[in-house]
Amino acid sequence: MLDVLPVFAGDERITRLFTLVPGSDFGADALSVIDSLGGRTVPWSEASGHAYDLVVVASPKGELSLLRGPQVLLPHGAGFNKSIPGEGSADSASGLDPAYLRRNHAPIALHALAHPEQIARLAATNPQAARHAKVIGDPTLERVLASSSLRERYRAALGTGARELLVLVSTWGPESLIRQHPGLPALLATQLPYDEYQLALIVHPNERSLLGTYELAERLAPALDAGMVLADPHEEWASVLIAANALVTDHGSAALYYCATQDRPVVSVHRAGGELIPGSPMDVLLCRVPQLGRAEGIVDALRAYRPGPARAAARLAFARHGEAAGLLRTEVYALLGLAPPAHRVAPRLLPSPAPATRVPAAFDVRVEATTDGVRISRHPAGTGPPGHHLAVEHGAADERLARSASLLYRRPIPTSEAPLDLAWTADGWTRHALSAYPNCRSAAVLLPSGRCLLRVRGHARTYAVQVEPRPEDGRIVRLDPAVALSAVHASLVAGRSPSADAIRMSCLVGERAFRVTFRPATDAEEAQVL
């Protein structure tokens, strides 16, 4: 509804009221979204006793005949891919089910659909309903397409950087990803290196409403603690899809919006069941993309995707690209008997998504020696087997982890506004950390300049560490200095120490190589104030 109603924007003749048709198990969160936006809601008991100039509905279900006025049916979702066992007609798409369309005796003035094939499916089961159907396009897709140029902004908001953003999409019900594979997000967090991949999860609003956001977050706690983003179901889900590099999906239709904007890897976790309709756009997609068997095979499954299936599925679900807002406005104003406003109607851009609420600050670091340096692979502590060392950010992680750390480091903190300030020097804090944490082998500070100072237990001097940014296709990739610290720490504890000259080494992170330099720090560097 909130994607559609802007066709009336700027028209003082129109008043928008919202009501919730009784009977849904998932309705409470819908009204809370409207309330959060300041929309005026009307109780069903009041709404069903009045006449309206136009009634816009998102589903044919419920006692819609009690709402008096010409109705515009705008089914939500894309592609009509699912039937709901035990509900309506067997093997009939939920939004095209003749059992509901015939039961609704209200005057359907317009059944707005996204593709001619949908009208053909409707006509095959309900010719009378098909007479009121028109191909309008998909208003939600219009917002997604209009917002596609904001991809880099969305990735920046999520904190993705140069990592691959892998998005998991779950529909609702017993065949959904979140029901069939509840542990998959946490398993993927153990498999995918933190500096190479970011995880996000989109869960259908029905499932979130059924569980509640708190309960859902508690069930997903291991993955959220590892840095996974849980997208808001109102608008953020679409922003996250635009930002994604790859998708893991069940048979829910959200994947089709991703497919319509880009032909990037899609992997299926859907198993045969009674909900997916044969020949639907999602069925076409899932039959042609790699299937994920175990979480350990995720990288191979992503590499097995070949371009083509995503675009093909989207072509079966969407038509009239770029026209939905204008076509819909023309139709609804004709039903109202009004001339539309003179100003152009355009899709509203999607907002930036929120970043992960929990960012890991302790990592099991796996180190592999190479010919000219080391390969570093970090995983959030406790999500997999121990690595070469435990690296922990002091002041951001559990104290028990800090006391177990082999490498303890500190990031810059905001300057105090106290009238009498107290601050460590780089030398002072590294000495203090090694004294306060006897299990710690190395202590380091990250300076605002991007340079680091590292002290190794038993070494007489601190070391200045610097990592060079990497040019890549006209852009610059910067490595978190904490990763470079792990590379130098591993080298130094293995016995490789610089003399007066600097040592240059390669730090490999995934397929990228970064040049790292370390040397004995100067007195001035040691005296820098944190």
Side-chain angles (χ1 to χ4, degrees), residues 193-232:
Y194 181 79
D195 301 304
E196 299 173 50
Y197 292 90
Q198 182 184 33
L199 286 178
L201 174 64
I202 296 170
V203 179
H204 193 285
N206 283 2
E207 205 67 34
R208 291 183 69 130
S209 181
L210 183 67
L211 293 173
T213 298
Y214 172 80
E215 176 65 22
L216 179 63
E218 287 300 300
R219 294 188 182 192
L220 295 169
L224 295 174
D225 290 341
M228 184 181 77
V229 173
L230 180 59
D232 183 89

Side-chain angles (χ1 to χ4, degrees), residues 161-457:
R163 295 182 292 176
E164 298 284 302
L165 176 58
L166 178 61
V167 177
L168 286 70
V169 179
S170 177
T171 187
W172 64 282
E175 296 181 21
S176 65
L177 182 153
I178 201 70
R179 300 272 196 100
Q180 291 289 315
H181 311 279
L184 181 60
L187 288 171
L188 290 176
T190 70
Q191 293 298 314
L192 298 173
Y194 181 79
D195 301 304
E196 299 173 50
Y197 292 90
Q198 182 184 33
L199 286 178
L201 174 64
I202 296 170
V203 179
H204 193 285
N206 283 2
E207 205 67 34
R208 291 183 69 130
S209 181
L210 183 67
L211 293 173
T213 298
Y214 172 80
E215 176 65 22
L216 179 63
E218 287 300 300
R219 294 188 182 192
L220 295 169
L224 295 174
D225 290 341
M228 184 181 77
V229 173
L230 180 59
D232 183 89
H234 172 209
E235 293 177 306
E236 281 188 14
W237 66 272
S239 304
V240 170
L241 286 183
I242 293 172
N245 294 98
L247 203 71
V248 176
T249 185
D250 53 21
H251 58 307
S253 63
L256 292 172
Y257 293 105
Y258 169 86
C259 294
T261 61
Q262 51 201 338
D263 197 352
R264 296 190 175 99
V266 181
V267 172
S268 168
V269 292
H270 176 69
R271 302 290 186 266
E275 293 185 356
L276 182 62
I277 296 176
S280 66
M282 278 304 296
D283 181 52
V284 170
L285 176 68
L286 298 179
C287 286
R288 296 180 58 191
V289 300
Q291 184 85 21
L292 180 62
R294 303 178 62 197
E296 292 82 353
I298 181 61
V299 174
D300 289 339
L302 293 173
R303 289 174 178 165
Y305 177 83
R306 295 293 178 267
R311 294 292 193 197
R315 284 194 295 268
L316 293 176
F318 305 113
R320 310 298 293 264
H321 289 195
E323 301 179 59
L327 289 173
L328 183 60
R329 184 162 79 159
T330 297
E331 294 291 338
V332 295
Y333 271 92
L335 292 173
L336 288 167
L338 296 174
H343 62 267
R344 175 178 172 267
V345 60
R348 291 179 181 168
L349 298 180
L350 294 161
S352 292
T357 56
R358 309 174 199 174
V359 178
F363 296 92
D364 285 314
V365 184
R366 300 165 196 180
V367 179
E368 177 187 345
T370 66
T371 55
D372 62 347
V374 294
R375 177 181 295 279
I376 297 294
S377 176
R378 300 193 305 170
H379 291 75
T383 62
H388 171 270
H389 63 269
L390 177 65
V392 177
E393 180 183 347
H394 186 266
D398 189 321
E399 177 67 8
R400 292 172 297 176
L401 290 170
R403 295 203 169 275
S404 300
S406 180
L407 169 62
L408 192 66
Y409 60 92
R410 165 178 162 151
R411 294 189 187 273
I413 59 176
T415 303
S416 170
E417 296 183 2
L420 191 63
D421 192 21
L422 183 67
W424 287 103
T425 64
D427 178 69
W429 189 85
T430 54
R431 289 181 184 275
H432 162 74
L434 291 179
S435 174
Y437 296 90
N439 293 324
C440 180
R441 294 286 303 275
S442 298
V445 293
L446 282 67
L447 301 173
S449 64
R451 185 172 296 168
C452 308
L453 277 86
L454 180 141
R455 179 180 293 280
V456 181
R457 190 179 297 278

Side-chain angles (χ1 to χ4, degrees), residues 73-80 96 111-119 133-142 257 314-321 324 327:
L73 177 57
L74 293 155
H76 61 284
F80 298 101
L96 298 176
H111 193 163
L113 296 171
H115 195 279
E117 183 270 344
Q118 296 165 9
I119 293 183
K134 291 185 179 180
V135 178
I136 297 297
D138 189 298
T140 299
L141 177 65
E142 299 299 293
Y257 293 105
R315 284 194 295 268
L316 293 176
F318 305 113
R320 310 298 293 264
H321 289 195
L327 289 173

